[in-house]
Amino acid sequence: MGHTATPEAESGGLTATEHRLANGLRVVLSEDHLTPVAAVCLWYDVGSRHEVKGRTGLAHLFEHLMFQGSANVKGNGHFELVQAAGGSLNGTTSFERTNYFETMPAHQLELALWLEADRMGSLLSALDLESLDNQRDVVKNERRQRYDNVPYGTAFERLTAMAYPDGHPYHHTPIGSMADLDAASLEDARAFFRTYYAPNNAVLAVVGDIDTEQTLAWVEKYFGTIESHDGKPAPRDGSLPGVIGGQLREVVEEDVPSRALMAAYRLPKDGSREADAADLALTILGGGESSRLHNRLVRRDRSAVAAGFGLLRLAGAPSLGWLDVKTSSGVEVPDIEAAVDEELARFAEEGPTPEEMERAQAQLEREWLDRLATVGGRADELCRYSVLFGSPQLALTAVKRVLEVTADEVREIAAATLRPDNRAVLVYEPTGSAAASGEDFDEDEEGEDQ
């Protein structure tokens, strides 16, 4: 196993070494002896973009199935063993990956590695129709609770379907549809696992109070005998024109607390300098209470109770700029939309002030350093840059790249993309009790699903 190391001068003192097993598993290690804990993070290069029409939701379903037992760990044993050892764990699914992670006391690292290897290598032996049906019902209930039965719950799904045309790999969200979840057979699940849950389709990062040689020995011992799989199809092309070319629009009449204007703007792919510039633009426009849209709509005009603008970074397709405004009682959406467009046009013409650039760069820098400050956050970012961009070293220099972006670049990306002809718009009009009472929307009651 060969390895490369990060030059410390370029990464704020953080280092990472890269290794590869004979079966293709990529391993990234980063020693940090500040606290006696270790984080294990395993990213599989599979998300909803890898699914095919009629079988959506399988990637997310497997996030649940991976906690349902393997050859040597029965039932809920994975959770029980980690928590009994004083650790924490979870898993998540996105368009572009599925990840699993544990943070453990350092002396329990071997247990975490054994658990991850056991389910990678032996889940199929424990996967049966009973466990599939059980977790199928869990996922369907999750969809009801987080999407179908909460105010604005299907907004993300609706806007994504508009922003990415039918047939595009990002047209559907990771939660999948009820019909597709019902249609998934046991053989569908087994084929999905064989294709994507292979060592040569994964990156393992271990960060914290570790000994590199001992950790590598454990990784080789537990993961080294798992066979690779070469049948993974190439991801479908997610490229699209830089702008949508016209405004897409949908009006939703539902029993929601207030009128809302939501929009998705097509922005540059993650991993580019243009994406960093777009992130700064959206931070200045809608990233918190000092942002332009909050100052205009919430503080000055009092036409909204909440106004935010953020970036959903995507590597395999155009990213999305996500606008979300909840109106004050009695305010019409066209008035909000006109004010938003006025602010965006002014920003595209004038660009950010030096003070806004400094504040936005400091905000993104702080957020990024907060991620790297925890062993779990650092392990996750090392995996992300390995899977999506081919090199974990890029994670350790990301702040430097954001700070190099100029005000002119921020203005240019805003002028090129934050336009009415480059967005999908979703308008919520309340019905029922909220409309009849004219209630204001309480920002504290809105949940965000990342």
Side-chain angles (χ1 to χ4, degrees):
M1 296 184 294
H3 73 270
T4 58
T6 307
E8 291 192 37
E10 295 183 4
S11 59
L14 301 176
T15 62
T17 58
E18 304 170 54
H19 315 264
R20 187 182 290 268
L21 303 193
N23 59 11
L25 178 68
R26 288 175 287 169
V27 183
V28 184
L29 305 180
S30 179
E31 291 193 32
D32 180 352
H33 302 289
L34 187 62
T35 56
V37 295
V40 173
C41 184
L42 188 60
W43 270 46
Y44 290 92
D45 187 10
V46 57
S48 57
R49 71 167 176 160
H50 296 89
E51 298 164 349
V52 297
K53 192 169 185 178
R55 289 297 180 270
T56 65
L58 277 173
H60 180 231
L61 180 59
F62 256 101
E63 175 204 318
H64 289 257
L65 287 170
M66 285 285 275
F67 291 100
Q68 285 299 292
S70 49
N72 298 296
V73 182
K74 302 304 179 185
N76 203 39
H78 195 111
F79 272 102
E80 293 169 355
L81 287 168
V82 170
Q83 291 171 344
S88 60
L89 71 163
N90 214 330
T92 66
T93 309
S94 76
F95 289 100
E96 301 182 321
R97 58 94 185 109
T98 309
N99 68 343
Y100 303 89
F101 46 92
E102 297 90 3
T103 298
M104 307 284 283
H107 68 281
Q108 296 285 2
L109 171 60
E110 184 179 9
L111 172 63
L113 293 172
W114 175 77
L115 285 167
E116 288 294 357
D118 190 61
R119 59 183 176 181
M120 177 191 282
S122 70
L123 184 87
L124 277 185
S125 65
L127 180 60
D128 56 23
L129 188 58
E130 181 181 358
S131 59
L132 175 63
D133 286 343
N134 175 275
Q135 290 310 298
R136 191 198 324 259
D137 288 341
V138 169
V139 172
K140 288 166 67 176
N141 192 50
E142 179 183 339
R143 180 184 171 90
R144 295 185 192 100
Q145 292 180 340
R146 298 174 64 184
Y147 291 79
D148 297 336
N149 297 332
V150 296
Y152 317 106
T154 60
F156 180 63
E157 194 171 43
R158 292 173 185 271
L159 277 174
T160 299
M162 283 195 284
Y164 302 111
D166 190 21
H168 190 274
Y170 291 70
H171 179 71
H172 70 278
T173 57
I175 193 67
S177 73
M178 289 289 198
D180 287 356
L181 288 169
D182 283 334
S185 67
L186 182 59
E187 185 47 47
D188 288 332
R190 287 173 172 165
F192 193 86
F193 182 87
R194 282 191 294 266
T195 300
Y196 294 106
Y197 278 78
N200 53 319
N201 195 48
V203 172
L204 172 70
V206 186
V207 176
D209 190 16
I210 65 173
D211 177 271
T212 295
E213 289 189 10
Q214 178 62 78
T215 303
L216 282 174
W218 284 331
V219 171
E220 183 66 61
K221 176 181 179 180
Y222 298 122
F223 289 89
T225 58
I226 302 173
E227 292 185 5
S228 60
H229 181 79
D230 297 325
K232 176 184 172 181
R236 289 177 293 149
D237 184 15
S239 60
L240 289 168
V243 295
I244 294 174
Q247 183 172 241
L248 307 174
R249 198 174 192 89
E250 181 180 346
V251 177
V252 180
E253 295 183 355
E254 285 185 358
D255 189 7
V256 293
S258 75
R259 292 188 177 98
L261 171 68
M262 301 183 190
Y265 293 77
R266 191 176 291 175
L267 294 173
K269 289 183 179 181
D270 193 14
S272 64
R273 190 178 177 100
E274 292 79 10
D276 289 336
D279 205 352
L280 286 164
L282 300 192
T283 300
I284 293 167
L285 287 163
E289 294 185 0
S290 63
S291 67
R292 290 195 180 195
L293 291 177
H294 185 91
N295 281 326
R296 168 72 184 270
L297 300 173
V298 180
R299 286 183 176 168
R300 195 193 88 178
D301 296 353
R302 297 187 179 181
S303 57
V305 295
F309 212 169
L311 180 64
L312 174 62
R313 287 178 175 262
L314 297 170
S319 301
L320 290 181
W322 201 265
L323 175 71
D324 187 351
V325 182
K326 305 298 192 309
T327 71
S328 299
S329 178
V331 176
E332 301 286 341
V333 167
D335 295 332
I336 291 287
E337 195 166 1
V340 168
D341 286 343
E342 183 180 313
E343 290 298 321
L344 297 187
R346 184 164 66 90
F347 187 77
E349 177 67 26
E350 301 173 359
T353 66
E355 293 78 15
E356 286 176 325
M357 277 293 293
E358 182 179 3
R359 186 166 58 243
Q361 287 177 317
Q363 181 174 333
L364 294 183
E365 181 180 23
R366 186 192 69 248
E367 292 171 359
W368 186 252
L369 294 179
D370 283 347
R371 287 282 291 160
L372 295 188
T374 68
V375 292
R378 198 181 319 158
D380 193 57
E381 293 300 336
L382 291 171
C383 280
R384 182 169 84 91
Y385 277 89
S386 296
V387 169
L388 300 181
F389 307 112
S391 172
Q393 315 301 345
L394 293 170
L396 305 181
T397 56
V399 169
K400 178 175 177 285
R401 293 191 294 276
V402 170
L403 298 179
E404 290 173 346
V405 175
T406 67
D408 283 342
E409 289 174 297
V410 172
R411 187 200 64 77
E412 288 169 4
I413 200 66
T417 60
L418 301 182
R419 309 172 351 200
D421 66 343
N422 186 38
R423 68 185 178 200
V425 176
L426 196 61
V427 175
Y428 276 90
E429 289 289 345
T431 61
S433 59
S437 65
E439 293 177 358
D440 277 346
F441 175 73
D442 184 350
E443 185 177 1
D444 292 337
E445 294 181 359
E446 185 194 18
E448 290 187 3
D449 182 18
Q450 297 298 323

